[in-house]
Amino acid sequence: MNFTRWSARLPGTQRRAAARTEHAVSPDRRGDSVPAARAEQLTDNSPCVPAVDELPARGVLDHVPALVALVHGPDHHIAYVNDAYTTAFGVRPPGAPAREALPELAELGLLPLLDQVLRSGKPRTLKSRKALDGRTYTFTCTPVAENGDRDGGVLLFATDVTDHAEAAERLRASERRQRETAVTLQRSLLPQELEQPDDLRIAATYQPGGTEAAVGGDWYDVITLGGGRTALVIGDVMGRGVRAAAVMGQLRTAVRAYARLDLPPHEVLQLLDGLATEIDPNQIATCVYAVHDPNEGRLVYASAGHLPILVRDEQGSVLRTEEPTGPPLGTGGWVHASASVPLGPGSTAVLYTDGLVERRDEDLDEGIAALERALAGATGTPQVICDRLVRSAGVTADHDDDVAVLVLQHPARTGPDSELFRNAALELLGGIEAAPRARAFASGVLTSWRFPADLHDLGVLATSELVANSLQHGTPPMRLRLRRTDRRLIIEVTDGDDHLPRRRRAEPGDESGRGIAIVATIASGWGSRRTPGGGKAVWCEFVLPKG
């Protein structure tokens, strides 16, 4: 470019600077362009600063703090190492092959990388590797010849990132400690030992996500309600870390408290929904609450945004429950509903969280369908089925989400074992004459079940008091049911009135009010609940002697 053509139009200072720039251009340089790297202050007396391409390369490399080495040829003979490299690893003889003279590179596995860079002609970077000197470096290997020239060389440039690596390790250690705290909290809030009802066999498993995944709020529980009934719950608090685990613990504690009220599943979820909103308005959770009644042979459940229960019958067919499903807990303003699914002898049910079936590369329905197929072919004890389902889903130690699975079986009992599980029922018709008929019925049944005399007498007395209470305060239809398991005797009376009895202290002059107090005194436990469609059930149970 000829600056004289337009320099007259520039102000004085810029015109003089332009003239100096034009005269400073080397006559043997190609073209008329001004070197881009030449930097000058536009003042009258400022000295010229040399361009980058005029600086001696070795002088620059000798003084940079990074480690620099240049190797040539297929054996990577040493052509040059700078002062920083020598300070870090010692003197390296020029001309020697890297495999012999640069053991630090061999230790870090850089020799194959040098081969690759030399062959491909493309630079490669190896991040954060700890060298023999105890420092951590990031190595960048750049080819100094193009087109894969085997006689070319590779320039190694190593930046000391020890401080960054140590800071990253401190951060990882802090995250590990936080994760261990969350895992410990999570496991401590889960049941340490599952309750084992008389009529069900139950197993569960919980596996936290891998080290790269924060612990979530998955939980499960098994609650014996008395009278042979069992509540089962599984849930998943959205979010990760200690906060999610803490919310999970509060919800699990609340579930156990609400379960003692022996409410229908949808009413338990209504209470949980309000509590979740109070705990944290920004925290939501999914949950399934189900109740198994061996007398009915069904599983009554309600779902708050959770995944469907899977039930396999005795023939191996798998049923997926779909409705009803309400929104997750913590959303508020939704009326949940209960439904039921058959769970007779020989059936197996599976409750689980989304970590078992949800994958990033496939639809959720595909994961549930795969679980159905796995359940259809899984046999054995609940624990065996639990383990097989987890393995079939590909859950490993580095899984990216928490997994909770709860498996329950209603075993089909045959032979001598079936003699330990018996039922007997009587419709209470008529008026006051139903009481002596109920006592006679209970006496005959307990005698046929070969109970000891003292347990026989207590059972007849409890039957008499429960029936008398129902005749006095209840309405038809009335029914007496006796049930024995391998562990206990259960006596239950149902009627059409939904007013629940309570234990109270009767005064000496009172003619009534002592029946429930007598039952509570002689029995191992008692309780009452409202029945679907109206009415109530009052029950008591006696623990059988071991022998």
Side-chain angles (χ1 to χ4, degrees):
M1 180 179 292
N2 188 353
F3 285 100
T4 59
R5 296 179 182 177
W6 49 271
S7 61
R9 291 175 290 183
L10 298 174
T13 301
Q14 295 180 348
R15 186 167 59 249
R16 287 189 292 273
R20 286 197 303 273
T21 303
E22 182 180 15
H23 292 307
V25 176
S26 175
D28 60 347
R29 191 176 300 275
R30 296 181 180 180
D32 295 329
S33 61
V34 179
R38 187 181 298 278
E40 297 186 7
Q41 298 179 357
L42 298 180
T43 59
D44 292 335
N45 301 318
S46 59
C48 293
V49 179
V52 171
D53 53 9
E54 295 176 358
L55 296 175
R58 179 169 185 135
V60 174
L61 296 178
D62 279 342
H63 293 89
V64 296
L67 281 60
V68 180
L70 179 64
V71 296
H72 275 287
D75 292 330
H76 311 299
H77 293 275
I78 301 175
Y80 166 78
V81 292
N82 71 344
D83 293 342
Y85 197 105
T86 302
T87 302
F89 298 116
V91 178
R92 296 295 182 258
R99 188 172 300 278
E100 301 174 3
L102 301 175
E104 60 277 359
L105 301 186
E107 180 73 20
L108 293 170
L110 273 172
L111 297 183
L113 188 64
L114 294 178
D115 296 334
Q116 183 182 2
V117 170
L118 188 62
R119 183 170 54 252
S120 66
K122 297 180 180 180
R124 294 288 187 271
T125 298
L126 192 65
K127 295 183 178 180
S128 298
R129 293 300 175 92
K130 194 168 186 179
L132 296 176
D133 64 344
R135 309 289 291 176
T136 302
Y137 300 93
T138 291
F139 291 86
T140 298
C141 303
T142 305
V144 295
E146 297 181 353
N147 302 322
D149 183 4
R150 296 289 292 177
D151 294 327
V154 178
L155 180 69
L156 284 84
F157 191 89
T159 306
D160 190 339
V161 293
T162 303
D163 293 341
H164 296 284
E166 291 177 350
E169 180 56 35
R170 288 194 295 269
L171 178 60
R172 286 191 294 268
S174 176
E175 292 174 347
R176 284 195 298 269
R177 288 193 296 270
Q178 292 182 7
R179 183 178 184 279
E180 290 170 358
T181 300
V183 170
T184 301
L185 176 62
Q186 176 89 341
R187 291 193 180 279
S188 66
L189 294 174
L190 291 174
Q192 303 303 303
E193 185 175 350
L194 287 178
E195 296 182 23
Q196 294 295 331
D198 297 356
D199 295 274
L200 297 177
R201 296 173 181 167
I202 300 178
T205 186
Y206 168 76
Q207 183 164 330
T211 55
E212 299 300 323
V215 175
D218 294 15
W219 93 93
Y220 56 83
D221 209 348
V222 178
I223 309 164
T224 53
L225 302 177
R229 302 166 72 250
T230 306
L232 307 116
V233 59
I234 194 165
D236 185 1
V237 176
M238 304 303 176
R240 294 287 184 268
V242 175
R243 178 58 184 168
V247 172
M248 176 274 289
Q250 295 177 77
L251 290 178
R252 177 176 174 258
T253 302
V255 168
R256 295 193 70 87
Y258 295 148
R260 298 305 177 191
L261 300 176
D262 216 340
L263 299 172
H266 65 276
E267 293 188 23
V268 173
L269 291 189
Q270 291 294 132
L271 294 172
L272 281 177
D273 184 39
L275 178 65
T277 304
E278 295 178 6
I279 293 175
D280 188 345
N282 300 317
Q283 194 87 52
I284 62 175
T286 64
C287 179
V288 166
Y289 182 86
V291 175
H292 176 256
D293 189 338
N295 296 314
E296 304 295 336
R298 303 189 68 83
L299 190 68
V300 182
Y301 68 93
S303 174
H306 203 77
L307 299 172
I309 302 172
L310 301 183
V311 179
R312 188 189 68 192
D313 61 21
E314 195 170 10
Q315 288 72 40
S317 300
V318 177
L319 171 66
R320 179 195 303 189
T321 63
E322 293 292 350
E323 297 292 344
T325 299
L329 303 176
T331 56
W334 184 268
V335 178
H336 293 84
S338 295
S340 65
V341 62
L343 190 71
S347 299
T348 300
V350 178
L351 292 77
Y352 52 96
T353 58
D354 58 359
L356 186 66
V357 295
E358 191 173 31
R359 300 294 181 269
R360 296 178 181 176
D361 56 348
E362 67 179 29
D363 188 75
L364 181 60
D365 283 338
E366 296 178 7
I368 298 176
L371 183 62
E372 289 180 355
R373 293 189 295 270
L375 176 60
T379 58
T381 66
Q383 188 60 59
V384 170
I385 294 176
C386 204
D387 295 340
R388 288 182 177 177
L389 294 181
V390 171
R391 286 198 304 270
S392 68
V395 177
T396 59
D398 57 352
H399 196 60
D400 60 0
D401 196 6
D402 289 20
V403 173
V405 183
L406 183 64
V407 176
L408 58 141
Q409 283 182 343
H410 187 184
R413 295 181 172 88
T414 58
D417 191 32
S418 64
E419 296 297 320
L420 300 177
F421 293 81
R422 306 286 294 274
N423 286 279
L426 174 68
E427 300 295 332
L428 299 175
L429 304 175
I432 58 174
E433 67 273 9
R437 190 163 58 249
R439 286 194 293 270
F441 175 78
S443 178
V445 170
L446 297 181
T447 300
S448 68
W449 288 350
R450 300 178 182 178
F451 283 154
D454 55 346
L455 182 57
H456 172 279
D457 294 342
L458 290 175
V460 172
L461 176 59
T463 299
S464 177
E465 295 297 336
L466 291 181
V467 169
N469 181 79
S470 181
L471 290 172
Q472 182 175 358
H473 302 287
T475 59
M478 302 178 185
R479 190 183 193 196
L480 168 65
R481 177 182 293 165
L482 302 177
R483 175 174 174 78
R484 71 154 296 167
T485 70
D486 59 343
R487 304 181 203 172
R488 69 197 77 231
L489 165 66
I490 302 167
I491 304 171
E492 182 180 80
V493 177
T494 60
D495 63 57
D497 186 82
D498 60 1
H499 178 73
L500 300 180
R502 59 185 179 86
R503 182 180 180 181
R504 65 185 181 90
R505 184 185 184 90
E507 298 297 331
D510 292 344
E511 296 183 359
S512 63
R514 296 180 175 84
I516 296 299
I518 292 174
V519 171
T521 301
I522 64 176
S524 304
W526 80 280
S528 61
R529 70 179 188 280
R530 291 187 173 89
T531 55
K536 67 176 179 295
V538 184
W539 57 268
C540 68
E541 61 184 26
F542 297 86
V543 177
L544 301 184
K546 296 180 180 180

